[in-house]
Amino acid sequence: MRVVADIPHPEIKITLLAWNGKYLIKLELGPFEQTYKVNELDVTGGDEEVKKWLDEEFLQQSIELFLTMRNNLHQARRRHDY
């Protein structure tokens, strides 16, 4: 696995990786992680094209998904008395 880029963002850690014919967009916030896999053959503009996808709308929706993930875990723990 090769790190293509670490992309700065004030709230989340963003890493673009290349592995096994795919680009991996890895987003991290606290203990949570989202990974999106894209076939390299589907990206005509290489890693620069993938970086453009990481616009404000995509990142805001990803942050909202992190909040949903945290809530899902919290609710599961509450159901089981943790």
Side-chain angles (χ1 to χ4, degrees):
M1 191 171 306
R2 176 177 62 90
V3 174
V4 175
D6 287 314
I7 301 165
H9 188 275
E11 296 180 63
I12 57 179
K13 181 178 180 186
I14 305 170
T15 309
L16 179 60
L17 304 142
W19 179 68
N20 204 22
K22 293 180 177 53
Y23 286 111
L24 282 70
I25 302 166
K26 183 176 173 184
L27 310 174
E28 298 174 75
L29 180 64
F32 301 103
E33 180 178 302
Q34 298 174 42
T35 302
Y36 299 85
K37 297 178 183 178
V38 181
N39 192 319
E40 285 181 355
L41 298 175
D42 294 336
V43 182
T44 58
D47 60 279
E48 291 303 316
E49 179 182 340
V50 177
K51 289 177 191 177
K52 288 180 184 177
W53 300 346
L54 306 178
D55 61 12
E56 190 57 37
E57 183 176 350
F58 176 84
L59 295 175
Q60 186 57 45
Q61 290 174 351
S62 296
I63 290 169
E64 291 171 13
L65 183 54
F66 278 124
L67 296 175
T68 300
M69 293 168 69
R70 181 180 68 185
N71 186 54
N72 287 346
L73 181 60
H74 177 72
Q75 293 299 321
R77 293 179 72 181
R78 287 188 67 199
R79 285 193 303 275
H80 298 281
D81 298 318
Y82 288 101

